[in-house]
Amino acid sequence: MDFRIEARSWLESHLAQTPAPAPRTWERDLGRAGWIGIGWPGADGESYGNRRATLTQQVVWAEEYARSGAPARMGHIGENLLAPTLITYGTEEQKQHHLPPVARGETLWCQGYSEPGAGSDLAGVRTAAVPDGAGGYAVTGQKIWTSLALDADWCFVLARTDPGSTRHHGLSFLLVEMDQPGRIEVRPIRQLTGTSEFNEVFLDGARAAEVVGGEGNGWQVAMGLLALERGVSTLAQQIGFARELDQVVAAAVASGAAGDPVIRARLVRQWAELDTMRRHALRTLGSTGDPGAPSVAKLLWGGWHQRLGELAVQVAGEAGAVGPEPWSERRPYELDDAQHLFLFSRADTIYGGSDEIQRNIIAERVLGLPREPR
């Protein structure tokens, strides 16, 4: 069967289920069908529980998933960030231990990078890890803006294992199990949207049994992982963006706002910029050795999505300031799609590396400009 037809057929049949499966059940459904971790390289192609797939087939699956309107993935951090990092830097024992549960949709991961006072500046990490006398580390510190931490089973944590080190020296990439009562506390962060996708994570002597890439090599591993955030998933993300743009265009036509030449020009520009981003993503897909490509991609889509949110509420006009349902004690915070897009996209130029950080990377690593004074 043609790969695209197979992917589309599976998604259509499973999305037609009533009621819709719970998020963790959906992850396990994907895993049982072999749709998690497709294309992961391995010694025999099947060693980590995934199916073989070319880069083109990976793109096809990501596009079909986004186009189908399937639910947001809870396992994407483990699949798209942790797994490729282990494949590149991990030991065979670590791969065999952690990758099959991710491929089966059984284990969820979160990313312990950002910290209060450091934010996107990963070299400013202060979370400390010291040997615990049992072959692992005791980790103490605080992480912030940690997506899905409330549901995660494991967290990969960037911590300072050399107490006398500064900046990017002396960091290690540690694997920490989240179920450690009294040692790990997760506090949801209520956002502008009223939801809490981001969290604070407090570590108080939390045990980390494993280090990836060797002690003190965390900066290299972390930088390799950040480059992975701008891969195949970028194309799927852009299909989601296209669906949101279609909704804004339809709203503009329905309300008559499309008759305003200023709004019409903005709609056309959003379309043209999205097409440019797609072409850029296709051009750089699978390429290596370009230190500026991930930062350019992040700058492009972060600003684009934020401008789309602004346009969505402009198209809505006065209705953009009114909630879709009357507020009550039971339903105190209702937003329509345009309002949610506007408010959530305010974070797009901050999370995943702020625009300022991305511009510094381009300036220093691509243009060869002097480093920013610190």
Side-chain angles (χ1 to χ4, degrees):
M1 182 185 295
D2 176 85
F3 189 86
R4 187 179 294 276
I5 294 174
E6 180 186 2
R8 187 174 297 177
S9 175
W10 188 90
L11 286 164
E12 288 176 351
S13 63
H14 282 73
L15 291 173
Q17 296 178 13
T18 304
R24 275 190 176 264
T25 302
W26 176 249
E27 290 294 325
R28 289 193 291 271
D29 288 346
L30 288 169
R32 279 194 295 268
W35 291 118
I36 298 178
I38 64 174
W40 284 350
D44 57 9
E46 300 291 338
S47 57
Y48 308 128
N50 52 290
R51 68 164 77 185
R52 291 181 180 273
T54 65
L55 184 60
T56 298
Q57 289 173 326
Q58 294 173 51
V59 172
V60 167
W61 166 249
E63 289 181 337
E64 289 300 322
Y65 191 93
R67 189 174 288 116
S68 72
R73 292 284 310 281
M74 292 186 71
H76 69 92
I77 295 176
E79 178 183 9
N80 298 324
L81 298 182
L82 183 277
T85 302
L86 284 186
I87 289 170
T88 303
Y89 300 100
T91 65
E92 188 60 30
E93 182 181 0
Q94 289 170 337
K95 297 172 191 177
Q96 294 290 350
H97 180 210
H98 292 290
L99 295 186
V102 172
R104 293 193 299 265
E106 296 172 355
T107 302
L108 302 180
W109 286 77
C110 61
Q111 177 179 3
Y113 271 20
S114 296
E115 297 185 2
S120 296
D121 181 15
L122 292 183
V125 162
R126 290 180 293 180
T127 293
V130 298
D132 65 359
Y137 299 85
V139 186
T140 300
Q142 180 184 355
K143 298 294 181 177
I144 199 166
W145 311 123
T146 308
S147 301
L148 304 177
L150 206 57
D151 300 298
D153 305 295
W154 286 79
C155 182
F156 49 90
V157 174
L158 194 61
R160 197 165 294 282
T161 48
D162 181 352
S165 63
T166 59
R167 303 303 298 161
H168 58 276
H169 302 287
L171 297 172
S172 296
F173 188 98
L174 306 175
L175 306 183
V176 179
E177 194 165 10
M178 292 295 286
D179 186 14
Q180 299 190 43
R183 295 183 177 182
I184 297 181
E185 179 186 359
V186 179
R187 298 180 190 172
I189 300 173
R190 186 179 174 95
Q191 297 144 215
L192 285 172
T193 54
T195 56
S196 301
E197 291 89 349
F198 300 122
N199 303 269
E200 293 178 282
V201 179
F202 297 86
L203 304 111
D204 185 8
R207 175 168 168 75
E210 301 170 78
V211 58
V212 177
E215 183 176 307
N217 295 322
W219 183 256
Q220 178 187 0
V221 178
M223 292 300 99
L225 183 147
L226 287 176
L228 298 169
E229 290 187 296
R230 327 280 193 244
V232 169
S233 58
T234 299
L235 290 166
Q237 177 193 54
Q238 290 166 6
I239 291 176
F241 287 170
R243 189 187 308 115
E244 291 176 335
L245 177 57
D246 287 345
Q247 292 172 348
V248 175
V249 170
V253 172
S255 67
D260 183 329
V262 174
I263 289 181
R264 190 163 61 246
R266 289 190 65 186
L267 290 169
V268 171
R269 179 166 183 169
Q270 291 288 143
W271 178 88
E273 290 178 347
L274 182 58
D275 187 64
T276 300
M277 285 193 292
R278 176 171 176 76
R279 293 174 187 274
H280 173 73
L282 288 170
R283 182 181 65 83
T284 58
L285 186 64
S287 63
T288 58
D290 183 352
S295 295
V296 169
K298 176 60 168 62
L299 284 171
L300 287 174
W301 74 253
W304 183 92
H305 201 222
Q306 202 168 83
R307 291 191 296 277
L308 182 66
E310 294 166 356
L311 182 56
V313 293
Q314 183 179 3
V315 164
E318 294 178 352
V322 181
E325 299 288 344
W327 285 20
S328 67
E329 288 187 8
R330 235 167 27 95
R331 300 170 59 127
Y333 209 94
E334 292 292 321
L335 299 172
D336 62 26
D337 290 343
Q339 292 165 338
H340 186 276
L341 173 60
F342 170 69
L343 292 175
F344 190 84
S345 63
R346 307 318 297 169
D348 285 342
T349 53
I350 302 173
Y351 71 79
S354 69
D355 279 10
E356 292 78 8
I357 292 294
Q358 305 305 334
R359 291 191 177 99
N360 279 347
I361 291 172
I362 294 170
E364 296 168 8
R365 301 183 190 174
V366 180
L367 301 179
L369 298 177
R371 296 185 65 84
E372 181 184 31
R374 300 186 185 280

